[in-house]
Amino acid sequence: NQRRVHGGRILCIASPNSQSDCKMTSKRRNNGRAKKGRGHCNPIRCSNCGRMTPKDKAIKRFLVKNIVEQAAVRDIAEASVFYSGYNLPKFYVKMQYCVSCAVHGRIVRVRSVQARKNRERPPRPAPKKDKVAQKK
C-alpha cells in the first residue's frame, strides 16, 4: 500500500490483491451525532425552520421565560398585598434546532479544528449584578 497525504486527508493506493488498512478521516469524533450503536434514530422537526433532523443530531436548548412580563410584574406588585415574596412561575420550552439553524441563530458556533477536540462544557454565564443585589 502506498499512502499519500492530500489536503489533510490520507489517500491510500492499494494494490488489487491486498486489502487497504487506511481509514477515511472524520471531522468529528462522534460524526456529529450521539447515536453510538443504534442503527436508527427517530426524526424531529426543527423549531425554527421545520426541517426533519435526527433526534440525536439536533441541538437542544431550553428557553426559560417569565410568564408575566416585567412591566406587568411591577403593576401586580403594587396592586397586591401578598406579592412581596412570591416567585412567579416560569415558562419552559424545549427548542430543538437543526445544525444550520443553530449556527445561523448563533446557538452554537463554528469552531477550529483544535477547538473541536475540546469536549468540556463552556462556562456558564455569571449571574447579573442586579439580581444578586435584589436577593440580598
Side-chain angles (χ1 to χ4, degrees), residues 27-55:
K27 195 171 185 180
R28 288 172 190 83
R29 178 179 164 177
N30 64 355
N31 298 317
R33 301 188 64 165
K35 197 161 58 79
K36 298 294 179 218
R38 285 185 285 281
H40 181 75
C41 205
N42 290 333
I44 56 106
R45 290 285 192 162
C46 172
S47 300
N48 192 35
C49 68
R51 171 186 275 174
M52 295 278 271
T53 187
K55 187 177 180 182

Side-chain angles (χ1 to χ4, degrees), residues 13 41 69 100:
I13 303 168
C41 205
E69 60 188 25
S100 56

Side-chain angles (χ1 to χ4, degrees), residues 29-30 61 108-109 111 114-124:
R29 178 179 164 177
N30 64 355
R61 297 288 185 270
V108 292
R109 302 285 169 112
R111 296 193 292 172
Q114 287 300 104
R116 270 184 238 138
K117 304 276 188 263
N118 180 11
R119 293 173 59 85
E120 291 179 18
R121 297 185 84 166
R124 295 183 83 178

Side-chain angles (χ1 to χ4, degrees), residues 1-5 10-16 18-22:
N1 291 346
Q2 292 179 345
R3 292 183 183 194
R4 279 191 293 174
V5 177
I10 297 174
L11 300 176
C12 296
I13 303 168
S15 60
S18 68
Q19 286 190 342
S20 175
D21 62 339
C22 299

